[in-house]
Amino acid sequence: IDALFALVLMYNREQRYDEALKALQELRRLHPRNRLVVLEAGATALRAGRPGQADEVLTEGMAMLASDTRERIPGEEGLWRYKRGAARRVRGRLDLATQDLQAATGEDSALWVRGRATVELGRVALARGDRSAAAAEAARGQTLCEQGRDPICAGEARQLIKAARGR
């Protein structure tokens, strides 16, 4: 089991997503109640460019989350909502993405999750053609990402601000 988790990390780092998804499928078989394995499967599907699969897996996992009485990690629901919102944004399901992403920006979520969800809201605004809202969301997201010590997200926010301003 430890080796499978290590493989998932390695495969994701090396962008070998099909292999990561196979390892995650085996982990899900071995631990069918482990929500975090499902969360990682959805996140990996999104990284692999499979937003439909990610949306389905994350929706299934959120149903598990809703009925699971075991302890949650701090800010867990926000993390689920951010990941599913990102998948839905890529799919063009902008209204559903917005609902998830707004929920992910709540105070219970970690700063980096709030930052990433806010940047995604900026991408939703840009997809809708609202450059002003996109730039504003990206600027808010950049601040949250910096506060959450997420330099990759802060860089993505800066790029979104430029795109929103037509640069």
Side-chain angles (χ1 to χ4, degrees):
I1 291 172
D2 290 343
L4 281 172
F5 279 112
L7 281 172
V8 169
L9 292 172
M10 182 186 73
Y11 289 149
N12 271 312
R13 184 184 63 227
E14 295 177 4
Q15 299 179 1
R16 294 167 57 183
Y17 302 120
D18 288 337
E19 291 157 296
L21 287 167
K22 286 178 186 171
L24 285 160
Q25 184 177 21
E26 179 64 12
L27 284 167
R28 286 184 73 183
R29 187 187 67 75
L30 293 169
H31 299 283
R33 293 183 55 221
N34 188 321
R35 298 185 313 263
L36 299 180
V37 171
V38 178
L39 178 63
E40 185 55 37
T44 299
L46 183 58
R47 281 185 218 104
R50 299 178 188 164
Q53 180 183 354
D55 187 357
E56 290 174 17
V57 169
L58 294 165
T59 297
E60 175 189 340
M62 288 181 69
M64 289 173 65
L65 179 68
S67 64
D68 196 336
T69 58
R70 293 176 296 166
E71 191 171 337
R72 297 177 179 193
I73 62 171
E76 184 175 347
E77 185 172 347
L79 183 56
W80 283 93
R81 300 290 294 257
Y82 155 63
K83 294 288 185 182
R84 188 174 70 173
R88 288 176 166 179
R89 194 257 324 151
V90 173
R91 292 184 77 186
R93 301 176 77 187
L94 301 181
D95 290 339
L96 291 173
T98 299
Q99 291 172 16
D100 277 339
L101 295 168
Q102 286 176 339
T105 63
E107 292 295 319
D108 290 344
S109 295
L111 277 172
W112 71 270
V113 171
R114 290 168 45 202
R116 284 180 178 252
T118 302
V119 172
E120 282 293 325
L121 285 167
R123 290 182 177 124
V124 168
L126 191 59
R128 289 185 168 142
D130 189 342
R131 292 181 174 276
S132 176
E137 292 286 8
R140 277 192 291 279
Q142 180 182 352
T143 299
L144 289 166
C145 290
E146 288 169 351
Q147 290 172 349
R149 293 183 174 86
D150 186 348
I152 293 171
C153 175
E156 290 175 3
R158 285 189 292 277
Q159 292 294 352
L160 181 56
I161 291 167
K162 288 179 185 176
R165 293 181 177 156
R167 297 181 189 158

